């Protein structure tokens, strides 16, 4: 049987008329702050949640966002809207989210570009200090593709062609500092080539440019290249990951096709402002982990060449650790390849 006892703060503090008034005010204020904070978190989300993508619609980043948005909407009980804000390799959108209200209603769909701050002379945010990490969505390969007019059907043939015509081949990317830019810079550095970089505002525009022949080759996500590859409008000669992609099992990796040890994977995940309350961050992270378990979400990601996060790779802390490990990795690539800060 439980009994109740009266608790008196006067046992621990001096008791005066003024003191009692002060104590009462402090207690009431503390209770108000606690209740207000709890209420704010309990009503989350109170309006639609935005997933802001820093790239044009149609690319892998956009695909990753839309693959999870419906399930997140169902679990949160509010619409989850994907908002595209392309430009500056995603920096504009990332800064917008970093400076937004830390209430969970705005998330940034980050990709591998976020793991390469060394490429930029100055960023308007600090990756480690200004963001909270919700969860990795997945990882995927980029395809090394060439326009059909390019007389190269393998990595070795492409290297020979580029060496025979230094500075004559143009390669497209999803933007300066985008992972597709870094993947090609790593390729060029390791193979000792000279090619011209032509940046675009996302994977979809760069794919259109390469399909039209405006650029001769590129690395790009399978989400944007699978269709033109199947239609014969682009020729895939390799993928960027250490293992072959299930979406293009017949296409070799760059490593096995001529540049041993080459590894440049893409990844996609959600981040929020660093000051987001832990209860909200944990809610978003938990809902993301659950969303990634649904078969239709997995199928949509896999069909676009993205391996869904799961087990030890999904969730807030695993995602934070992964991104922090990516930063020194790409810093070394940028330094070794002597890529000038943008």
């Amino acid at each position: 049987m439980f009994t109740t006892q009266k608790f008196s703060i006067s046992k621990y503090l001096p008791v005066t008329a003024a003191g009692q008034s002060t104590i009462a005010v402090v207690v009431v204020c503390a209770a108000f702050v606690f209740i207000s904070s709890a209420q704010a978190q309990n009503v989350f989300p109170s309006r639609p949640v935005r997933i802001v993508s820093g790239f044009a619609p149609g690319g892998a980043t956009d695909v990753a966002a839309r693959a999870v948005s419906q399930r997140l909407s169902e679990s949160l009980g509010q619409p989850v809207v994907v908002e595209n804000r392309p430009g500056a390799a995603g920096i504009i959108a990332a800064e917008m989210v970093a400076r937004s209200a830390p209430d969970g209603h705005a998330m940034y769909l980050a990709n591998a570009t976020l793991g390469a701050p060394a490429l930029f002379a100055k960023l308007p945010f600090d990756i480690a200090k200004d963001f909270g990490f919700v969860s990795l969505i997945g990882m995927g390969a980029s395809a090394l593709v060439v326009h059909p007019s390019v007389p190269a059907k393998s990595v070795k043939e492409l290297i020979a062609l580029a060496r025979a015509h230094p500075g004559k081949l143009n390669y497209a990317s999803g933007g300066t500092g985008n992972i597709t830019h870094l993947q090609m810079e790593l390729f060029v550095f390791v193979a000792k080539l000279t090619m011209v970089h032509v940046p675009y505002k996302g994977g979809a525009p760069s794919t259109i440019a390469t399909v039209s022949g405006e650029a001769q080759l590129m690395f790009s996500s399978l989400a944007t290249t699978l269709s033109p590859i199947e239609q014969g409008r682009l020729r895939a000669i390799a993928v960027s990951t250490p293992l072959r992609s299930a979406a293009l099992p017949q296409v070799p990796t760059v490593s096995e096709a001529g540049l041993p040890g080459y590894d440049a994977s893409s990844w996609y995940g959600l981040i929020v402002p660093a000051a987001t309350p832990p209860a909200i961050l944990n809610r978003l992270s938990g809902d993301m982990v659950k969303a990634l378990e649904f078969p239709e979400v997995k199928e949509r990601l896999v069909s676009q060449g993205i391996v869904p996060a799961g087990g030890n790779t999904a969730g807030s802390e695993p995602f934070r650790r992964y991104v922090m490990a990516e930063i020194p990795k790409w810093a070394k690539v940028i330094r070794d390849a002597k890529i000038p800060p943008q």
Side-chain angles (χ1 to χ4, degrees):
M1 180 175 181
F2 296 96
T3 59
T4 58
Q5 295 181 345
K6 290 185 178 180
F7 174 79
S8 175
I9 197 170
S10 61
K11 290 175 59 179
Y12 306 99
L13 296 174
V15 180
T16 65
Q20 287 179 337
S21 298
T22 301
I23 291 167
V25 171
V26 170
V27 171
V28 169
C29 288
F32 177 78
V33 170
F34 174 79
I35 292 170
S36 297
S37 176
Q39 286 178 338
Q41 294 176 20
N42 287 338
V43 299
F44 170 78
S46 59
R47 60 183 184 277
V49 173
R50 293 181 300 151
I51 295 179
V52 183
S53 170
F55 302 93
T61 306
D62 190 60
V63 168
R66 296 180 192 280
V68 299
S69 61
Q70 181 58 41
R71 281 297 177 180
L72 279 180
S73 177
E74 292 172 4
S75 60
L76 292 172
Q78 287 282 356
V80 175
V81 181
V82 179
E83 181 179 322
N84 297 93
R85 292 289 185 95
I91 294 173
I92 295 172
E95 181 185 15
M96 184 179 75
V97 172
R99 306 291 178 248
S100 67
D103 57 11
H105 289 91
M107 296 185 282
Y108 176 60
L109 198 294
N111 68 1
T113 303
L114 195 76
L119 186 65
F120 303 96
K122 186 177 182 181
L123 285 173
F125 49 77
D126 184 303
I127 294 165
K129 296 178 181 179
D130 292 335
F131 293 109
F133 295 83
V134 177
S135 180
L136 184 70
I137 293 175
M139 302 177 67
S142 289
L144 174 55
V145 296
V146 299
H147 187 270
S149 65
V150 175
K153 296 183 179 180
S154 69
V155 167
K156 290 182 178 179
E157 289 181 4
L158 176 61
I159 291 173
L161 179 67
R163 286 177 178 169
H165 304 281
K168 299 299 183 182
L169 292 177
N170 295 335
Y171 75 87
S173 81
T176 300
N178 183 274
I179 184 61
T180 56
H181 174 208
L182 294 179
Q183 287 166 336
M184 188 62 83
E185 285 289 352
L186 178 60
F187 181 88
V188 166
F189 171 69
V190 174
K192 298 179 174 57
L193 307 175
T194 300
M195 290 193 283
V196 178
H197 176 215
V198 184
Y200 293 85
K201 290 185 177 181
S206 64
T207 300
I208 292 170
T210 309
V211 167
S212 70
E214 186 173 290
Q216 285 78 57
L217 70 156
M218 66 174 180
F219 271 105
S220 193
S221 69
L222 299 186
T224 59
T225 55
L226 277 176
S227 179
I229 288 170
E230 291 169 351
Q231 295 166 0
R233 294 185 294 161
L234 289 176
R235 181 189 307 126
I237 60 175
V239 293
S240 66
T241 42
L243 299 176
R244 294 192 183 197
S245 170
L248 286 174
Q250 76 282 8
V251 177
T253 68
V254 173
S255 180
E256 66 181 313
L259 294 179
Y262 182 95
D263 176 12
S265 302
S266 297
W267 56 262
Y268 314 93
L270 292 171
I271 58 177
V272 291
T276 301
I280 292 177
L281 178 60
N282 292 338
R283 167 80 184 277
L284 290 170
S285 179
D287 285 354
M288 261 299 306
V289 172
K290 291 177 183 176
L292 289 167
E293 293 173 354
F294 282 92
E296 67 270 22
V297 174
K298 291 182 179 180
E299 289 169 8
R300 184 169 183 185
L301 291 171
V302 170
S303 70
Q304 300 300 316
I306 301 172
V307 179
N312 295 330
T313 63
S316 180
E317 184 55 25
F319 185 28
R320 186 195 67 79
R321 288 197 304 267
Y322 179 78
V323 174
M324 293 304 104
E326 284 283 279
I327 293 173
K329 166 190 166 182
W330 283 113
K332 184 178 186 305
V333 170
I334 292 163
R335 183 176 62 251
D336 291 348
K338 294 182 174 58
I339 303 173
Q342 307 299 316

